[in-house]
Amino acid sequence: MDTSELMSLALAMAGMEAVPPDSAIYVHGEGIRRILAGIDMGVPELMLAADLGYDCVLAHHPQPAVLTYPDILDLHVAQMVRAGVPEGAALAAVSNLKEDAFYRYHSGNYDHAPSVARVLGMPYLNIHNPLDEIGRRLMAEAVSRVGPAEPVSAVVEALLELEELRNAPTRPVVAVGSPARRAGKVAVAHGAGTNGGYDVAKAYFAHGVDTLVYIHCDPGAVRRLRADGAGTLIIGGHIACDRVGIVPYLRELERRGLEVTRVSGL
């Protein structure tokens, strides 16, 4: 396979037609048979791959080179609207998140890792949203089986039916609210670049969502949401939840005859 085919397979599995703004091929390559894959793959991993004779480095998280990354955060708006949040409220909730991401990427060393990959002649890409979308669908399907009258603990148990969460050293936690609280309407906010933080969660809770699932969340946002007392927030675990969408993709690569070595959280 080549790097374009690696990306196209992920898009097909996620039901997408175009490369999303948080994913990129930094160095194109062909004749790929051996892949070093991980969630965070930068300069050390590129050098390791070159030393060990790999044909490609495949990362999940994007490098600062992906200057279009802030645009992926608009997917929060679509997810919120589907959950019943008015579009205006959703746009307002995401505005600060997008601005923060813009300035973070604007100040980043955008060619650091890609330049090393070019010097090494190492094919290099990251696939973020397509794999997160696969994971989001699997997580949403799992929690959809929980009735609104059941306790929040049943949502946690549903998440633990997913192998990657069940076997992880981290466990899903009820960060805001109580496991004994009624689950009510449940939404999974994942696959939109990063978690929505305080503003996005607050908008969900203000417009009919009782229990929200993030895969990670800043502790300061958690404390603010606790002070509000408006809903329940479950944090699934960053790496474990990322793996929910990544593992099916890597298994498909292996089914097609590629050798994949998993590092950095995989």
Side-chain angles (χ1 to χ4, degrees):
M1 297 182 74
D2 62 30
T3 45
S4 295
E5 290 170 327
L6 293 175
M7 182 70 75
S8 293
L9 174 62
L11 296 178
M13 291 179 67
M16 298 178 180
E17 296 181 356
V19 178
D22 66 346
S23 304
I25 297 171
Y26 308 110
V27 177
H28 180 71
E30 301 177 349
I32 295 168
R33 297 179 180 275
R34 301 181 68 222
I35 298 173
L36 186 65
I39 290 179
D40 295 290
M41 304 292 280
V43 171
E45 293 78 19
L46 287 164
M47 297 180 69
L48 176 66
D51 286 345
L52 298 180
Y54 284 91
D55 302 317
C56 178
V57 170
L58 171 62
H60 181 52
H61 289 156
Q63 285 290 320
V66 188
L67 295 175
T68 53
Y69 171 85
D71 293 337
I72 201 68
L73 299 170
D74 288 329
L75 291 180
H76 275 294
V77 175
Q79 291 183 15
M80 295 166 78
V81 169
R82 288 199 300 268
V85 179
E87 185 176 12
L91 287 167
V94 174
S95 61
N96 287 338
L97 195 66
K98 284 194 68 176
E99 184 177 33
D100 290 347
F102 171 80
Y103 284 111
R104 185 170 69 251
Y105 273 74
H106 191 269
S107 66
N109 186 350
Y110 47 79
D111 199 36
H112 179 57
S115 67
V116 174
R118 291 195 301 272
V119 169
L120 294 171
M122 177 59 64
Y124 182 35
L125 72 161
N126 91 279
I127 306 175
H128 194 218
N129 183 253
L131 305 186
D132 279 352
E133 175 60 16
I134 294 169
R136 185 196 65 80
R137 292 175 185 177
L138 292 170
M139 292 170 64
E141 180 183 358
V143 304
S144 70
R145 295 189 284 271
V146 178
E150 296 185 65
V152 168
S153 59
V155 181
V156 174
E157 291 303 315
L159 290 170
L160 288 171
E161 293 176 8
L162 297 166
E163 179 183 0
E164 291 77 19
L165 272 69
R166 185 172 62 251
N167 295 332
T170 57
R171 312 295 286 178
V173 295
V174 180
V176 178
S178 165
R181 182 182 286 178
R182 178 179 174 273
K185 183 176 181 178
V186 182
V188 176
H190 175 43
T194 189
N195 78 87
Y198 173 81
D199 290 338
V200 168
K202 182 179 178 181
Y204 272 110
F205 294 148
H207 295 282
V209 171
D210 302 291
T211 300
L212 182 65
V213 179
Y214 276 173
I215 73 166
H216 56 83
C217 190
D218 178 78
V222 169
R223 287 189 286 271
R224 291 178 69 189
L225 290 166
R226 284 176 183 162
D228 289 349
T232 300
L233 177 67
I234 297 172
I235 300 176
H238 186 178
I239 303 304
C241 291
D242 274 355
R243 292 184 76 249
V244 173
I246 298 170
V247 168
Y249 171 72
L250 297 183
R251 286 176 177 163
E252 180 60 23
L253 291 180
E254 291 171 329
R255 190 189 70 80
R256 295 178 181 221
L258 277 68
E259 176 187 335
V260 180
T261 300
R262 295 161 169 79
V263 297
S264 184
L266 296 181

